[in-house]
Amino acid sequence: MSEPAITLCMIVRNEEQDLPRCLASVRGIVDEIIVVDTGSTDGTVAVAESFGARVLHYAWTDNFAAARNVGVDAATTEWVLVLDADEELHPEDRHRLREICRDPEVEAYSMLHVNLMDAGGFTETENSYDVTLWRHRPEYRYEGKLHEQIVTAIWREKPDARVDYCQIRILHYGYLKEAVRAKGKSERNLKLARQLVADHPDDVFYLFNLGLELQRLPDLEGAVSEYERVRSGLSWYPLWAAKMFKCLATCLVVLRRWEDATAVIRQGLSIYPDFTDLVYLLGYAAQEQGRHARAVGLFHRCVAMGPATAAGAWPGMAGHRAYEAMARSYVALGRLEDAADAYEAAFAAQPDWTAPLAGMVEALNGHLPDDALLARLAAWFDLEQTAHRVRVADVLLAGGRPDLALQTLTPDLDDDPAARYLRGLALLRLGRHGPAAEALTGVPAALGLPGRGALLAATGSHRGLPAVAALARERGMNAPDLAEAARVCLKEARFWEQAAKTGGVRFG
């Protein structure tokens, strides 16, 4: 039996930054690359051709399906794989692609898309499934101007077609905040989504996509309205329905519509009983209502369930997110040691995320001697390394212990911009504005807006507003710098306000 041949089909526009990563991930795996360019003005075409791609030029018509089908029509192999430029085959899984195409019984595969998202200091992931690998037949063509689908045509033409779930991972970088802002995806997609709903007011998939775009704005009430229309119009549950229940429940929870949220979550769990994310939302709703014992139980249930595989699932809901939320409820219940253990479990599950350790410091402050607190942190870091000392200082500062952060950031670390910046913030928090301004003077160019804002805040607190104006003129600082300085000052004021409420800052 000959090896199955695969064509990679793509549509692109101004993707010279992302395209090399995508095409490198399929090198040696696919037999043909067809790239449909919809009007690039950068080096996209040259990049594609350097990887041996056949480039077709197509004038964009606000119709993703039409553009996709130009490439599919040109494919000459037995199988078609579709990727976007901001995606790549996972390096650990790529070798299995040709293997799964050997199964004569399978018509198409719904592949696991791992969507990477900026979660504030680390990258979170959301899992989804989409049919992006299928047998190339002339009757199978994309449908839908936005979030186009191939599986609809497959099942219409061949109702008994076997479409298997596949655990070959596709990494998707397009929902990282900077990528979304750079490409204007939200504005473009919202316009298309509104037009599609106007043209097809009863199509639940188009309604769902409009809800997603409204939620991203965020227009939560508008999103709820569209999701509710979807929920009432579902006669069966397509692959994306699980995500719809989660999105609707999330909006209702944020809007504090507890009864409505609970009803949606319970319906969702009746259909998707292993959807951990919905249980997490139940726990979050209980926590927000002050029902902390119930919340703890639900978060423990999330951990026991493990990560969900449904569309829209976030693996962290069974790991670091569940533990961190659990810890906050333990604090509210006065169970500080249990809270500290849960915070540490959250950090262990996601070591790039230091916020749980800051929560632990805040919870144990005044209840644990300083040396014991530092020893607990030191168990997670190698304090012989500058980078680790900087992370510990960041944790201590975020946890309300600028004095201990300052002890960690000795002046010999000032050659490290991050260490110098944190030392300046610690001094600022302690009210030592002159030394803070001195420490921060060398930081702005290295750390950008946060460093410039902190310097302005320290200078203003030390020498007054005229000095701020002079510094801003001298360094070419602008409105965002001043806004950041105001934010730093407000945070400092809140620190001392909280200290006054608790009877003073408890250092040790």
Side-chain angles (χ1 to χ4, degrees), residues 99-114:
E99 173 189 324
I100 66 173
C101 292
R102 296 191 188 111
D103 190 331
E105 301 299 322
V106 177
E107 195 71 7
Y109 287 99
S110 184
M111 303 184 75
L112 175 57
H113 288 64
V114 180

Side-chain angles (χ1 to χ4, degrees), residues 165-231:
Y165 284 98
C166 171
Q167 296 303 308
I168 292 179
R169 290 164 289 179
I170 295 174
L171 300 178
H172 176 218
Y173 300 89
Y175 287 122
L176 291 169
K177 289 179 182 177
E178 287 304 321
V180 172
R181 279 195 290 267
K183 296 183 181 180
K185 279 186 175 181
S186 295
E187 294 84 356
R188 176 200 69 192
N189 289 357
L190 181 60
K191 176 185 174 182
L192 282 174
R194 288 191 188 282
Q195 184 58 54
L196 288 169
V197 168
D199 294 341
H200 308 277
D202 297 321
D203 189 304
V204 289
F205 184 62
Y206 291 148
L207 291 170
F208 169 60
N209 287 319
L210 177 55
L212 286 176
E213 299 308 326
L214 290 169
Q215 187 175 357
R216 289 181 184 128
L217 281 179
D219 175 2
L220 300 187
E221 292 286 5
V224 167
S225 177
E226 301 305 327
Y227 290 146
E228 286 290 14
R229 291 173 67 190
V230 174
R231 188 162 70 115

